[in-house]
Amino acid sequence: MPENRAAATKQSDAPTNNPKLLAWVEEMAKLTQPDRIVWCDGSEEEKQRLTKDAVDKGILIPLSPEKRPGCYLHRSDPNDVARTEHLTFVCTRTKEASGPNNNWMDPKEAYAKLGKLFEGSMKGRTMYVIPYLMGPAGSPFSKVGIELTDSIYVVLNMRIMTRMGRVALDTLGDTSGDFNRGLHCTLDLDPEKRFICHFPEDNTIWSIGSGYGGNALLGKKCLALRIASFLGREEGWLAEHMLILGAEDPQGKKHYVVAAFPSACGKTNFAMMVPPPALKGWKITTIGDDISWLRIGKDGRLWAVNPENGYFGVAPGTNKKTNPNAMACVERDAIFTNVAMTKDGDVWWEGMDGQPPAELTDWRGNPWTPESKTPAAHPNSRFTAPMRNNPILDETADDSEGVPISAIIFGGRRATTVPLVMQSFNWAHGVYLGATMGSETTAAAVGQAGVVRRDPMAMLPFCGYDMGDYFGHWLKIQARLAEPPPIFLVNWFRKGPDGKFLWPGFGENMRVLAWVLARAAGSVGASETPLGLVPRPGDLDTEGLGLTPEQVKQATSIDLAEWGTELESQGELFTKLERTLPAAIRLERELLIARIKN
Ligand code: SAT
Ligand code: MN
């Protein structure tokens, strides 16, 4: 054994006396055999040191200090650019507990199989110990995680995405064993040896063979959604794939809304939207752009906390028009992954402002010109940016209790059928609308993009237990709410016969949000259809929108024939979840089918 390995396992420099934490790190170090163990403190000095190390090793490429101060580019292995849902497992003791929505492995088998891969996996490498906190410091809802990783890229991204270092160790204290045990190793990035395994009953995550976002930044999808949704069911709360925004109305009253959309369907844009001139009396602020932890407050209202500290947003399509606030977020201190680089050390991606530069280096590091046949940036290229860079960050972003929610929105990416906006008749019908949501797949996960799949509540890849039980959990929440927020279904992506989007989206979605909040406040009526409540003609503010009344009608209309097909196609999901599907959800569907057939 090299001298330094012996020194490493002693952990004399560990900044904690917590015996449970020390013992676990020791055990994992024995398994993975790193040459060195480095405990991360989250300090600026550490960031500078690790960044320099990453640059020296070619893991990060410095960008122009004038154009992008403090920013770096990372190029992933081309095999490792999106979440791999088929290699993601929920390893509950029984297969039933994980549900038909998850891949399952027996925990014993998973520990053994991955244990073999982890054995000696950090030889010649450094093991970084990342203590991190999901949720604001001092919040009773926050969770401590420890991620052990061999990747400096992961450390530097976790530093942006979570509250990392001392604050997490202080929250954990000297004796508690209540922390998520995350073990991560990039190994050789071979997809054949890639597994992302969750052990919800052990509050443990083992991820191997990938350095990519949701596979490797364990605080995000693995802890804050898969493990947290499991804990939420046990503890009576919800972990959701939802943005949280604040909307101050022209009278100065503040409302908060959560909205679930699948990956790469515009959550970051909606959370940072700039209202159009016609609605300039409104002011939007961001609390979170991806994940929401929802609890029932003492006042019987639903309260939301964003467990994250930064944004891991999709780069392509982001520009000064579609999302000026995101563009401000990435002006400094951001990490870009798989975008293109300009000659003068700036970044570029498809859909950025202006014409494509005449020459670029593409996301793989090859020369690129506008004539090239492949995109310059990977369609799932990302930016990691501190939330404190956001010019419209909500003042409550660090509040330990979170914010009270006035409305819940579910939305998919659908070219047909689903109207611009529809309100559910009641909570159970709203849960049904979320549960049966369909969406076209995107580049955020490996596999074919553009295929409509059921993505219940945008949680298909992220629910850490049986999806039927999850719907049941949602239904049960209502009884504990004094004021259940109204639930809405939206669709910004409907297309006309010409194949073009019917609705301009982005900031114009403020018009839909204004209606949603007016409905929540009870200050506007609605038209009742067999499927839900929709705006009456004239209710939606379309001033200055530049659409004809016919176009607005097309975007908002409900075609019962299309919905007949839609309800039929939900049958597959219902069959899959048959064992645990709550009767209330099944009956909602039957009721709708019966009504449509009438
Ligand atoms: O890659 S992530 O899972 O972090 C982002 C996403 O797919 O939503
Ligand atoms: Mn997401």
Side-chain angles (χ1 to χ4, degrees):
M1 188 192 274
E3 249 175 88
N4 51 1
R5 198 176 304 152
T9 46
K10 262 196 239 130
Q11 299 185 77
S12 48
D13 60 343
T16 177
N17 295 318
N18 185 311
K20 294 181 181 117
L21 175 53
L22 288 170
W24 173 70
V25 174
E26 181 91 33
E27 188 190 337
M28 295 302 106
K30 268 201 188 110
L31 174 66
T32 54
Q33 299 165 33
D35 278 11
R36 238 161 39 100
I37 298 178
V38 171
W39 286 75
C40 301
D41 60 14
S43 66
E44 182 61 31
E45 180 279 321
E46 174 181 270
K47 176 186 161 188
Q48 299 300 342
R49 182 165 34 84
L50 293 179
T51 302
K52 184 179 176 308
D53 198 11
V55 170
D56 291 347
K57 292 189 165 102
I59 297 165
L60 290 182
I61 300 165
L63 293 166
S64 156
E66 286 79 41
K67 297 194 173 273
R68 300 274 163 191
C71 292
Y72 295 84
L73 167 65
H74 171 75
R75 295 193 184 116
S76 304
D77 184 299
N79 256 327
D80 189 33
V81 291
R83 276 184 295 104
T84 42
E85 294 179 5
H86 60 296
L87 303 173
T88 302
F89 293 80
V90 170
C91 308
T92 40
R93 269 169 230 138
T94 67
K95 183 172 181 352
E96 287 69 36
S98 71
N101 45 298
N102 280 305
N103 300 313
W104 178 80
M105 239 194 269
D106 182 293
K108 277 202 208 89
E109 185 194 324
Y111 282 128
K113 185 171 183 160
L114 273 70
K116 276 217 183 73
L117 297 173
F118 273 119
E119 213 174 289
S121 61
M122 295 199 196
K123 269 187 195 153
R125 304 186 187 190
T126 299
M127 173 195 271
Y128 298 95
V129 183
I130 312 173
Y132 65 96
L133 189 64
M134 297 312 286
S139 168
F141 311 130
S142 295
K143 300 274 182 205
V144 174
I146 310 289
E147 176 165 356
L148 309 178
T149 180
D150 65 336
S151 162
I152 304 182
Y153 169 81
V154 166
V155 178
L156 292 169
N157 274 270
M158 286 291 281
R159 188 178 185 276
I160 297 175
M161 294 305 296
T162 72
R163 290 151 173 105
M164 181 183 130
R166 194 67 254 165
V167 62
L169 292 179
D170 288 348
T171 305
L172 182 66
D174 282 341
T175 53
S176 171
D178 185 15
F179 60 92
N180 180 270
R181 291 151 170 77
L183 177 62
H184 170 252
C185 182
T186 48
L187 212 58
D188 47 9
L189 298 176
D190 175 359
E192 294 297 314
K193 286 183 260 163
R194 182 174 301 161
F195 296 96
I196 300 94
C197 287
H198 306 71
F199 305 88
E201 287 132 343
D202 304 340
N203 198 3
T204 292
I205 304 158
W206 281 16
S207 167
I208 193 157
S210 168
Y212 171 76
N215 290 343
L217 311 177
L218 300 186
K220 194 171 179 58
K221 307 297 180 172
C222 300
L223 172 52
L225 286 177
R226 296 196 191 94
I227 298 278
S229 60
F230 185 95
L231 295 176
R233 185 182 171 218
E234 288 183 344
E235 298 167 5
W237 53 283
L238 293 161
E240 298 298 327
H241 195 199
M242 290 174 167
L243 65 92
I244 313 169
L245 62 75
E248 190 182 304
D249 66 24
Q251 290 72 44
K253 187 165 183 332
K254 194 87 176 265
H255 315 262
Y256 298 97
V257 169
V258 285
F261 297 83
S263 302
C265 290
K267 278 195 297 301
T268 308
N269 294 335
F270 194 52
M272 297 180 187
M273 109 184 119
V274 179
L279 282 88
K280 67 174 184 310
W282 286 86
K283 211 175 128 214
I284 297 296
T285 45
T286 316
I287 291 121
D289 80 329
D290 195 40
I291 299 178
S292 161
W293 285 355
L294 298 167
R295 291 166 202 267
I296 295 140
K298 290 188 196 80
D299 59 0
R301 286 192 292 175
L302 193 65
W303 288 71
V305 165
N306 169 22
E308 300 193 282
N309 199 28
Y311 310 120
F312 187 62
V314 177
T318 308
N319 62 49
K320 292 212 168 98
K321 259 221 195 88
T322 58
N323 194 340
N325 291 311
M327 292 305 280
C329 288
V330 301
E331 269 171 18
R332 58 182 61 245
D333 304 321
I335 299 174
F336 297 90
T337 303
N338 298 332
V339 301
M341 189 170 158
T342 65
K343 287 228 124 157
D344 55 2
D346 201 357
V347 286
W348 194 83
W349 49 74
E350 277 68 20
M352 209 193 227
D353 304 270
Q355 290 302 307
E359 279 179 311
L360 286 170
T361 306
D362 76 5
W363 68 275
R364 293 168 193 262
N366 297 325
W368 186 96
T369 70
E371 280 72 49
S372 296
K373 296 274 179 290
T374 51
H378 188 277
N380 190 39
S381 52
R382 299 269 172 167
F383 55 80
T384 322
M387 80 173 176
R388 270 151 255 282
N389 279 8
N390 183 354
I392 61 160
L393 182 67
D394 194 274
E395 61 196 13
T396 67
D398 286 312
D399 280 12
S400 57
E401 298 292 322
V403 292
I405 296 303
S406 299
I408 298 173
I409 297 174
F410 292 112
R413 181 186 283 268
R414 293 297 299 272
T416 66
T417 318
V418 181
L420 184 62
V421 59
M422 177 162 83
Q423 184 185 352
S424 71
F425 296 120
N426 52 43
W427 182 266
H429 180 231
V431 172
Y432 165 83
L433 288 182
T436 55
M437 193 171 95
S439 192
E440 291 165 23
T441 50
T442 67
V446 170
Q448 200 188 344
V451 184
V452 175
R453 69 171 182 183
R454 295 291 135 204
D455 191 349
M457 294 168 170
M459 283 289 279
L460 181 68
F462 307 121
C463 180
Y465 63 101
D466 182 283
M467 193 59 100
D469 288 337
Y470 168 70
F471 299 158
H473 183 48
W474 260 88
L475 289 170
K476 271 193 223 130
I477 293 282
Q478 180 184 16
R480 293 169 47 218
L481 285 168
E483 292 174 56
I487 300 179
F488 299 81
L489 186 66
V490 301
N491 178 22
W492 321 135
F493 301 95
R494 200 172 191 181
K495 290 180 177 167
D498 58 0
K500 292 205 177 112
F501 289 120
L502 286 164
W503 183 254
F506 304 107
E508 304 295 353
N509 294 336
M510 184 64 234
R511 299 170 190 272
V512 176
L513 183 60
W515 184 76
V516 161
L517 288 169
R519 287 296 299 158
S523 60
V524 69
S527 168
E528 185 174 322
T529 78
L531 289 141
L533 304 163
V534 297
R536 299 165 304 185
D539 280 346
L540 216 52
D541 187 338
T542 55
E543 191 206 316
L545 183 61
L547 293 187
T548 63
E550 181 52 30
Q551 285 169 312
V552 175
K553 201 167 149 213
Q554 279 182 16
T556 53
S557 69
I558 290 182
D559 178 329
L560 291 186
E562 277 184 342
W563 272 94
T565 314
E566 178 74 6
L567 288 161
E568 279 310 315
S569 75
Q570 294 168 4
E572 210 180 307
L573 176 79
F574 280 56
T575 310
K576 195 170 161 187
L577 300 179
E578 205 168 17
R579 200 181 68 83
T580 52
L581 191 75
I585 300 295
R586 187 171 42 78
L587 291 170
E588 285 289 344
R589 175 166 175 257
E590 284 176 19
L591 203 57
L592 288 175
I593 292 177
R595 255 193 240 135
I596 284 181
K597 278 193 182 148
N598 273 339

